[in-house]
Amino acid sequence: MYIKTIADLETSMLEALEKQKSKKMNPIAAKGLNAMRQKIRKNNRDHDADIKAYRDSPDDFMKDDVVEEPTATGPKKAKKALLDESVAGADDDGFTMVGAGGKAMTYTPEGILKHLRTIVESRGRKNTDRLEQIRTLEKLLDVAATEYQKARVLLTLVSTRFDLTSGSGNTMAQEQWKLVQQELAALLALLEEHPYLVVIESAEDWEDDEKHPTISSDETFKIPGSIVSLVERLDDELTRVLQQVDPHTAEYVERLSDEASLYTNIVRTQLYCERLAKDEKLNFVQETANRIAMRRLEHIYFKPSQVINILEENVWKALPSSLDSSITPRSAAGDSSTLVTAICTYLYTHSEGIIRARAMLCQVYYLALHDQYFKARDMLLMSHLQETISGFDVNTQILFNRTLTQVGLCAFRAGLVYEAQNSLQDICGSQRQKELLAQGLQMQRYSQITPEQERIERQRQLPFHMHVNLELLECVYLTCSMLLEIPLLAQVGSSPDLKKRVISKSYRRMLEYHERQIFTGPPENTRDHVMQASKALAQGEWRKAAEFITAIKIWDLLPQASKIKTMLEEQIQEEGLRTYLFTYAPFYDTLAIDKLASMFELSERKVSAIVSKMISHEELAAALDQVNGAIIFRKGVELSRLQSLALTLSDKASGLIESNEKTLEQRTQGTANAFERQGAQRGGRGGARGGRGGRGGGQGIRRGGGGFQGGVLGNAIRS
């Protein structure tokens, strides 16, 4: 009955097609008819013999079917025979793959392309058993006879395994990830052994499933696909897993160990792309090679040189000895600096846009991590990325922030306090370190974020092994701010009406909060240590301040911690000396240099150098007597109350004149009778308004002043 039905259906379909030729059909109906014809043809292909027998003699065919129906023994024997055949051909689990017609599926090299076509067409459909497809592909891989068949099956198998975790919230199981990694390695090894097979995106698909292509080793045969995209997806899956695993567990360490095998496949893919790029006939897209080189760089730029060297040695041991790279030769595997420079130079030459900018940032990060501050700073400044970074994507902006913080830490390790504070100001002064460095979500008090935005933010988070220590970052920033702010506060403290210049608003806020506390106990965290050290330094107790700073345990995380603590003690001694001179200069006529040297445990030469620098910058009203070894302070340079008021009046008058002139120009621009009575009245009203602006101008002038600078009147007093 089934054969009769499908045969009659095919006949009806052929009649409908004949009618279509004579009469024009609706395009939608014609499309549906063609789709139905293909389905019927595909289904009837397995029953060609039975359909032919039915059409030759329909009555005899149906008579045999009716006669066999009442006999109960026949079908039972047939079922038993079928069961025995199924058991004999069953797989290891005791089950047999059964097709749509109820027959056991057989896998032969001739039918591989047909099976692959069926699996590829079912991708993306609902109710598709992907595990069953994976089992089918594994069996097809076992029966594959030619290298072409193996390559096609491996490409489809890897893509199907990725389909298991097609959702954004799902993570790939470790077993499946390792299987994909092994299959990619097998595919790359196959392509390396048979160079006439090329997997490239621009290739055309083989349409004939019944006939296999004839491949000669003398000619290049193209297979459609992208090895680079598969490796990138494998890398993204590992990153997604590391984002969701608790970093303080053994599972994180276990999954992180998979990075070595992944890095091997990345290097292997890069070598494959280099081989394809050499063949001009293939029309290889350069962007593909740039992408895989960028992936390799992103895996090594944040690692110490020792780790990179070990990783590279293991990679070249795992690869065949015949493979080598023109970009990163096997001979340079022991030098991480040469490796990073070679990859970055290659990307500078062959890429542009985002990839080129990211390569620049990675190289700057690497240089800063390895204490090459001046080289990293010059490279970052010459790139001008700080001017155009707002136009890049979010991930590149995060990389820029990470690079900036690393440059600041490098400057701190080199003893450059001002440069370190200036580099860390934008990140640490914003109270959004976690968000800016992609190391966590730091929700603001009044911010409204949708669940979709939160999901996107979580996808951008970096794995734990790539994090910059936020506590260390805050400690360095506060320490640098202390060394700059305390002398500044002492310098402007003698003039209460002088608007104070602020270097770090967040540090000032913490310091004011600490000073308002009635009772301060022993320091408990990093902030408490820095605040109490700041208070001691402002009071001239530099030893106590140095003890508070060096007692912070976070310094032990830095390389050469003892050297860092010694550098900090020296910086505190120097800034303590500057603070002392700013504070107590009005109370001295002369001060011996050897006295200062003994107080701050500095050499007399160092004290003389610091005092000379302060005098040259007009921070200190004094003269240095090198013969007698003393500092002679100038008296009368501090302005009296009357002189300060006179300078304020002068500043306001000049600001009033300037604003009056600007207002007059705006009101009378383009008029012929600008200075008639009406225009003058308007100018007067503008001048009145300018008087209010003049007060602001006076404040701006006062804000720029420092020390004993007093304009014309100050010069007169000084002379």
Side-chain angles (χ1 to χ4, degrees):
M1 183 62 72
Y2 176 74
I3 299 298
K4 178 180 179 300
T5 303
I6 62 177
D8 294 343
L9 186 61
E10 187 176 6
T11 304
S12 302
M13 179 59 63
L14 293 175
E15 293 176 356
L17 289 173
E18 291 294 331
K19 292 180 181 179
Q20 183 188 0
K21 292 179 180 178
S22 59
K23 184 180 179 181
K24 190 175 181 181
M25 292 183 69
N26 188 6
I28 300 175
K31 186 178 179 182
L33 186 63
N34 291 329
M36 190 66 185
R37 182 189 66 173
Q38 293 176 3
K39 289 182 180 180
I40 293 173
R41 183 184 294 177
K42 185 178 180 181
N43 182 72
N44 293 3
R45 196 177 294 168
D46 299 330
H47 308 282
D48 288 339
D50 295 336
I51 293 173
K52 186 178 180 183
Y54 168 75
R55 286 176 176 171
D56 292 341
S57 178
D59 296 336
D60 294 339
F61 187 85
M62 296 302 295
K63 184 179 179 181
D64 295 339
D65 192 19
V66 173
V67 171
E68 290 179 359
E69 222 175 60
T71 59
T73 57
K76 288 183 179 178
K77 290 181 180 179
K79 288 181 181 178
K80 187 175 180 183
L82 182 61
L83 182 62
D84 294 338
E85 290 177 2
S86 301
V87 172
D91 56 9
D92 298 336
D93 298 332
F95 296 95
T96 303
M97 301 292 293
V98 179
K103 296 182 179 180
M105 297 179 64
T106 58
Y107 303 103
T108 59
E110 291 77 15
I112 284 180
L113 296 182
K114 187 188 297 183
H115 287 292
L116 291 178
R117 178 78 61 181
T118 305
I119 292 173
V120 170
E121 289 177 353
S122 65
R123 289 186 66 186
R125 295 181 181 177
K126 294 181 178 180
N127 302 324
T128 303
D129 192 352
R130 296 188 178 92
L131 292 175
E132 181 182 347
Q133 291 180 348
I134 289 173
R135 287 194 292 269
T136 303
L137 290 169
E138 289 175 347
K139 292 182 179 183
L140 292 177
L141 184 61
D142 294 336
V143 301
T146 63
E147 288 76 16
Y148 171 75
Q149 294 175 354
K150 291 180 181 178
R152 288 285 305 273
V153 173
L154 284 172
L155 285 170
T156 310
L157 181 56
V158 171
S159 302
T160 308
R161 290 193 190 277
F162 284 136
D163 289 343
L164 290 174
T165 56
S166 56
S168 59
N170 301 327
T171 57
M172 200 170 189
Q174 187 176 9
E175 296 78 13
Q176 293 293 332
W177 191 93
K178 287 187 175 182
L179 288 172
V180 172
Q181 184 266 329
Q182 294 171 6
E183 288 156 3
L184 271 177
L187 178 60
L188 289 168
L190 180 67
L191 297 175
E192 290 163 2
E193 293 176 3
H194 305 88
Y196 55 88
L197 290 177
V198 174
V199 176
I200 195 168
E201 297 178 7
S202 59
E204 297 181 358
D205 196 5
W206 184 261
E207 297 292 341
D208 194 354
D209 297 340
E210 301 293 336
K211 181 182 178 183
H212 290 249
T214 304
I215 302 174
S216 173
S217 59
D218 299 333
E219 298 179 358
T220 302
F221 188 85
K222 299 179 181 179
I223 303 173
S226 176
I227 305 292
V228 174
S229 298
L230 296 177
V231 174
E232 287 178 336
R233 178 67 185 275
L234 191 64
D235 187 14
D236 294 339
E237 291 293 341
L238 182 61
T239 303
R240 190 184 302 177
V241 170
L242 293 175
Q243 285 175 346
Q244 300 189 10
V245 174
D246 187 1
H248 305 292
T249 59
E251 184 183 0
Y252 188 89
V253 180
E254 183 182 357
R255 296 308 307 268
L256 188 59
S257 61
D258 295 334
E259 188 186 12
S261 59
L262 173 63
Y263 185 74
T264 303
N265 280 339
I266 290 175
V267 176
R268 204 165 187 173
T269 307
Q270 182 187 338
L271 302 182
Y272 177 72
C273 291
E274 289 181 25
R275 179 167 68 84
L276 296 184
K278 293 178 182 178
D279 193 351
E280 297 180 355
K281 298 179 181 178
L282 296 176
N283 295 324
F284 182 71
V285 181
Q286 182 61 42
E287 186 184 357
T288 307
N290 298 339
R291 282 160 47 197
I292 195 65
M294 192 66 229
R295 287 279 176 167
R296 184 180 182 184
L297 183 61
E298 288 176 349
H299 274 272
I300 61 175
Y301 79 94
F302 61 92
K303 291 183 172 66
S305 58
Q306 299 86 351
V307 178
I308 299 175
N309 294 335
I310 295 172
L311 192 62
E312 283 289 318
E313 290 175 1
N314 293 334
V315 165
W316 290 109
K317 287 179 182 177
L319 295 180
S321 58
S322 59
L323 293 179
D324 202 354
S325 172
S326 58
I327 304 171
T328 57
R330 184 188 290 263
S331 58
D335 189 359
S336 62
S337 179
T338 306
L339 173 66
V340 172
T341 304
I343 297 176
C344 291
T345 304
Y346 175 80
L347 292 175
Y348 298 155
T349 308
H350 296 88
S351 67
E352 57 186 11
I354 293 179
I355 293 181
R356 188 171 185 178
R358 291 183 68 85
M360 178 74 70
L361 292 173
C362 289
Q363 189 173 9
V364 173
Y365 190 104
Y366 176 84
L367 293 172
L369 185 64
H370 293 81
D371 294 328
Q372 301 183 41
Y373 169 73
F374 293 103
K375 194 172 181 180
R377 181 202 63 183
D378 295 344
M379 187 174 292
L380 185 62
L381 292 176
M382 287 189 295
S383 67
H384 297 285
L385 285 173
Q386 62 272 13
E387 301 171 2
T388 59
I389 192 62
S390 59
F392 288 90
D393 61 307
V394 178
N395 293 324
T396 306
Q397 293 180 16
I398 291 169
L399 180 58
F400 177 81
N401 295 337
R402 286 168 50 82
T403 304
L404 202 61
T405 56
Q406 200 60 240
V407 170
L409 292 175
C410 180
F412 176 77
R413 292 194 297 270
L416 305 171
V417 175
Y418 177 78
E419 289 81 357
Q421 200 276 341
N422 195 24
S423 298
L424 299 176
Q425 176 68 38
D426 294 336
I427 307 298
C428 298
S430 62
Q431 303 298 320
R432 296 170 56 205
Q433 297 95 322
K434 287 185 178 180
E435 183 181 350
L436 294 175
L437 298 175
Q439 295 181 187
L441 298 180
Q442 193 168 353
M443 300 298 178
Q444 302 297 321
R445 181 178 296 177
Y446 301 107
S447 65
Q448 295 181 355
I449 185 171
T450 62
E452 182 67 19
Q453 291 174 337
E454 185 178 353
R455 184 183 63 81
I456 294 172
E457 287 290 333
R458 293 191 182 278
Q459 288 179 357
R460 296 194 188 107
Q461 303 303 307
L462 296 173
F464 183 76
H465 67 282
M466 298 179 64
H467 286 192
V468 179
N469 194 315
L470 294 179
E471 187 178 355
L472 176 62
L473 206 62
E474 184 185 26
C475 184
V476 170
Y477 174 71
L478 292 178
T479 304
C480 294
S481 299
M482 177 194 73
L483 295 174
L484 296 175
E485 284 280 9
I486 297 301
L488 180 63
L489 288 172
Q491 180 182 358
V492 301
S494 59
S495 304
D497 59 334
L498 185 66
K499 188 167 179 67
K500 300 176 182 179
R501 184 169 61 94
V502 179
I503 297 176
S504 173
K505 291 183 179 180
S506 57
Y507 173 81
R508 285 285 185 92
R509 200 179 303 114
M510 294 178 191
L511 188 62
E512 291 173 0
Y513 176 76
H514 187 269
E515 289 177 349
R516 286 197 301 267
Q517 291 182 347
I518 300 173
F519 174 77
T520 55
E524 297 179 357
N525 51 29
T526 303
R527 290 186 181 181
D528 292 345
H529 278 88
V530 177
M531 292 300 110
Q532 295 200 17
S534 303
K535 191 175 180 181
L537 186 61
Q539 295 173 354
E541 301 177 357
W542 71 269
R543 290 189 185 87
K544 192 174 181 181
E547 290 175 0
F548 280 124
I549 293 297
T550 54
I552 301 174
K553 296 181 179 180
I554 198 71
W555 302 127
D556 296 334
L557 297 178
L558 291 173
Q560 301 178 350
S562 58
K563 185 179 178 181
I564 297 293
K565 292 179 181 179
T566 305
M567 180 269 294
L568 287 173
E569 289 181 357
E570 294 175 356
Q571 292 283 348
I572 290 173
Q573 285 176 321
E574 296 178 10
E575 299 303 327
L577 173 61
R578 284 166 46 84
T579 305
Y580 183 84
L581 291 175
F582 284 138
T583 306
Y584 297 104
F587 304 99
Y588 285 102
D589 291 328
T590 59
L591 184 59
I593 292 179
D594 56 352
K595 179 68 174 176
L596 288 174
S598 63
M599 287 174 61
F600 293 93
E601 298 181 4
L602 294 170
S603 63
E604 294 185 9
R605 185 175 180 180
K606 186 71 173 177
V607 173
S608 300
I610 295 173
V611 173
S612 299
K613 190 175 181 180
M614 293 174 68
I615 294 172
S616 65
H617 291 172
E618 295 187 356
E619 296 175 342
L620 188 66
L624 188 61
D625 188 358
Q626 295 181 349
V627 177
N628 298 319
I631 306 170
I632 303 173
F633 294 93
R634 295 178 181 175
K635 294 299 179 181
V637 295
E638 293 292 333
L639 302 181
S640 64
R641 181 64 177 168
L642 179 60
Q643 292 169 342
S644 300
L645 291 174
L647 285 176
T648 305
L649 181 60
S650 173
D651 294 340
K652 287 185 178 182
S654 62
L656 178 62
I657 293 171
E658 291 178 1
S659 61
N660 195 14
E661 290 177 351
K662 289 180 181 179
T663 306
L664 182 63
E665 290 177 358
Q666 293 175 359
R667 295 288 183 105
T668 60
Q669 187 176 7
T671 59
N673 301 322
F675 294 98
E676 290 184 357
R677 185 173 179 177
Q678 186 178 0
Q681 291 176 357
R682 291 178 181 174
R685 289 196 295 271
R689 293 192 192 99
R692 291 193 291 270
R695 288 194 290 271
Q699 292 177 359
I701 295 175
R702 289 200 305 273
R703 187 165 57 246
F708 59 94
Q709 299 174 0
V712 178
L713 184 58
N715 292 328
I717 296 171
R718 202 180 312 164
S719 60

